[in-house]
Amino acid sequence: MTPRRHLRLLGLTKPTRSTTVLTIRRHYATKYTAKITSTSPTGLSVSAEVTPPPPLPTDIRGYALPRRDLICKATQILLRQSPSATSSDPFSDLSDYLSSLSLHLTPSEASEILKSLNCPDLAIRFFRFCPSLSPNFHHDPYTCNRLLLILSKSTSPARFDLARSILRDMDRSNIRGNISTVNILIGLFGDTEDLQTCIGLVKKWCLNMNCYTYKCLLQAFLRSYDSTKAFDTYLEMRRRGYKLDIFGYNMLLDALAKDEKVEHAYKVFDDMKKKHCEPDEFTYTIMIRMSGKLGKGDESLGLFQEMITKGCSPNMIVYNTMIQALARSKMVEKAIIVFSKMVENNCRPNEFTYSVILNLLVAEGQLGRFDKVVEMSKKYMTKSIYAYLVRTLSKLGHAGEAHRLFCNMWSFHDRGDRDAYMSMLESLCSAGKTAEAIDMLSNIHEKGVTTDTMMYNTVLSALGRLKQISHLSELYEKMKLDGPEPDIFTYNVLISSYGRAGKVDEAVTIFEQLENSDCKPDIISYNSLINCLGKNGDVDEAHMRFKEMQEKGFSPDVVTYSTLIECFGKTDRIEMACRLFEDMLAQGCYPNIVTYNILLDCLERCGRTAEAVDLYAKLKQQGLTPDSITYAVLERLQSGSHRRVRVRRQSPITGWVVSPLR
């Protein structure tokens, strides 16, 4: 080999153009180990070679990377997915595992383990446990943030106290949080005192609030229903050049509108448009509702038109809000126009829409125009909407309009809606139109609706209340023949109805049918029968039924006792009435003002003034409030008048016109 060739291979000469350059890197071959040598008194020596642990992996910046296998294993141990056979404490298992590998946990690895511990109690225990693993372990803001974030997602009532204890630990360990710490704490705390503490941490840790911090603070004040401080926070954001997004603007506007801070709301709304944050449908809905509550219907309409001009598509909520705003200003014509636009734009009205218009027309005496509203929205008039309108009109006392609307539904839909028919039955019965109710009950099957016991009970109750006993009996016989089966309510209605009409034998017959049926008498059945017998002169039989119900395990209530006391009192058997009253108290059944009035009237009519005064004292001791009947009896006691025939006259105490018990 020539000297030049030798030098070239060593890299000491410049290669020619035809030579290929080879870069040779020399790796260290030396391994550094440590030896521990122990010499015994006999002269023998023992050596142990110790290999240092491999260095932690680092990123391109030189920061240590978390060891994923270590994190996974530690998480499994803490979550008891692979518990030790000899230990019941996962933290002891974790300590043994780390000691066996001569590994030390880093704060970043602790933070990753915390991320997997969703249980706040377990996360707190692990957080407290980490410093015991190594004297060199110290928590940093990131591990603290991880734990605070877990607490912020918890629903435990103790989460606030735990968060405050973490802050105290940070203070003792001289750990300065970052702005993320403040953001998490603002999201966690909701009351003013803690929010002020969070703001104080910004100054204590020499931090600068960013846009997200202001947003968190504003939302926290809104959650605390403190729109004033939320507005002040918004102004501070503006001074610092920060802007809210559409959701933040809408939340603030909604809070200001609900608190009737009208000027602040208009200022925020104007700023919103100037700051190039275009209002959306929800924004305009808030402003329309607010101006509507102020009675500014024209202003609401202007906002509605502005929203449409800007390309927003009103939904059902927007239309309902607009119609309600116009209704508050009693603008009937414009409300109907907006409703027509709603239908033209294929936006389906709901029950609230019809309710607002219906109440507006009723209040303005223009109920006749509601037929036009129904006609223009006929394609959206479902059976449930018809049922709702029939029920609403009935409650408002417009049975005729309800019936006309019901007839419209009857001809429009092939199949009927049970709720609508039930509402119409109730409306007809309340208005005393029992013939129409019976006719509808007979024809209801034509629309595919099966009559049920509740429908029959509704009509039977109306017939009994109006003492139309012949129709009542006919309908009951039809019910037994064609179905449905009578229930306990049916029997009770029949007993009380026959009793009210003085048909004692028929009432007793119905009661016997009840006893022989699948239904059994209840306390209302006995009360109805006792009232029927007692009010129609058979007090002894009524008392026998009273004893019978007790033998069958029924406890008489205040109605039972009051009925019997009145019956005995009217037949001048005052001793029996008083005995029943004492028995009532002994059984723990407390009399009401009606019971006292009945017995007071009995005592006064029999001239037992002293006992009546004592009874009035008991009434006051029980905390009951005397009514007009009580004062009328007291007036007669004071005047010493015990006439059998009473006249209606004005009470000098209450000024009410009262009549005695019959």
Side-chain angles (χ1 to χ4, degrees), residues 7-40:
L7 291 172
R8 191 184 301 132
L9 290 173
L10 294 175
L12 300 176
T13 62
K14 185 176 181 180
T16 61
R17 291 184 180 178
S18 59
T19 5
T20 302
V21 180
L22 297 175
T23 304
I24 301 173
R25 293 185 178 178
R26 181 180 179 184
H27 296 279
Y28 292 107
T30 308
K31 290 185 178 179
Y32 294 94
T33 59
K35 281 188 176 181
I36 302 173
T37 304
S38 173
T39 304
S40 66

Side-chain angles (χ1 to χ4, degrees), residues 151-329:
L151 292 175
S152 69
K153 296 178 181 179
S154 169
T155 57
S156 170
R159 64 187 183 278
F160 303 112
D161 290 333
L162 290 173
R164 296 182 189 108
S165 70
I166 298 300
L167 286 176
R168 289 193 293 269
D169 290 345
M170 292 176 67
D171 191 47
R172 283 193 294 267
S173 302
N174 294 320
I175 301 174
R176 285 178 52 187
N178 50 34
I179 197 63
S180 295
T181 315
V182 177
N183 293 344
I184 294 170
L185 288 170
I186 291 174
L188 172 63
F189 293 123
D191 60 83
T192 306
E193 181 181 351
D194 285 314
L195 290 178
Q196 294 302 322
T197 302
C198 296
I199 297 171
L201 290 175
V202 174
K203 183 177 180 181
K204 180 179 179 180
W205 291 336
C206 302
L207 304 173
N208 291 320
M209 293 175 64
N210 55 27
C211 184
Y212 185 72
T213 311
Y214 279 111
K215 288 180 181 178
C216 291
L217 190 60
L218 186 141
Q219 290 179 9
F221 282 129
L222 291 177
R223 286 198 305 272
S224 302
Y225 303 102
D226 193 341
S227 60
T228 300
K229 289 188 177 179
F231 183 72
D232 293 340
T233 304
Y234 166 74
L235 295 179
E236 181 65 22
M237 284 186 71
R238 282 189 58 208
R239 284 193 290 269
R240 293 186 177 271
Y242 297 130
K243 294 189 298 183
L244 283 173
D245 55 17
I246 184 67
F247 303 104
Y249 271 118
N250 286 343
M251 286 178 64
L252 180 58
L253 273 175
D254 189 52
L256 292 172
K258 287 178 178 176
D259 289 347
E260 298 182 355
K261 294 182 171 61
V262 181
E263 293 183 5
H264 292 344
Y266 279 118
K267 179 174 179 56
V268 172
F269 183 63
D270 291 338
D271 286 348
M272 186 177 181
K273 293 188 286 187
K274 291 176 183 176
K275 297 293 181 181
H276 309 291
C277 182
E278 284 297 325
D280 60 5
E281 291 87 349
F282 188 67
T283 316
Y284 281 106
T285 303
I286 295 169
M287 299 303 295
I288 290 170
R289 183 184 296 115
M290 185 181 72
S291 56
K293 285 183 178 179
L294 297 172
K296 299 179 179 179
D298 289 325
E299 186 174 312
S300 297
L301 198 57
L303 288 165
F304 183 74
Q305 295 294 343
E306 179 183 319
M307 177 185 68
I308 295 175
T309 304
K310 290 192 174 183
C312 298
S313 299
N315 54 24
M316 182 184 66
I317 296 175
V318 179
Y319 276 114
N320 285 350
T321 305
M322 186 66 246
I323 293 171
Q324 188 179 33
L326 294 171
R328 289 178 185 273
S329 299

Side-chain angles (χ1 to χ4, degrees), residues 490-523:
T490 313
Y491 287 111
N492 289 344
V493 166
L494 291 169
I495 294 168
S496 61
S497 299
Y498 282 126
R500 189 181 295 112
K503 305 286 186 179
V504 180
D505 292 339
E506 288 84 345
V508 173
T509 301
I510 295 295
F511 188 85
E512 291 172 353
Q513 291 178 10
L514 171 60
E515 289 182 309
N516 296 325
S517 70
D518 294 335
C519 304
K520 297 303 176 184
D522 60 7
I523 191 168

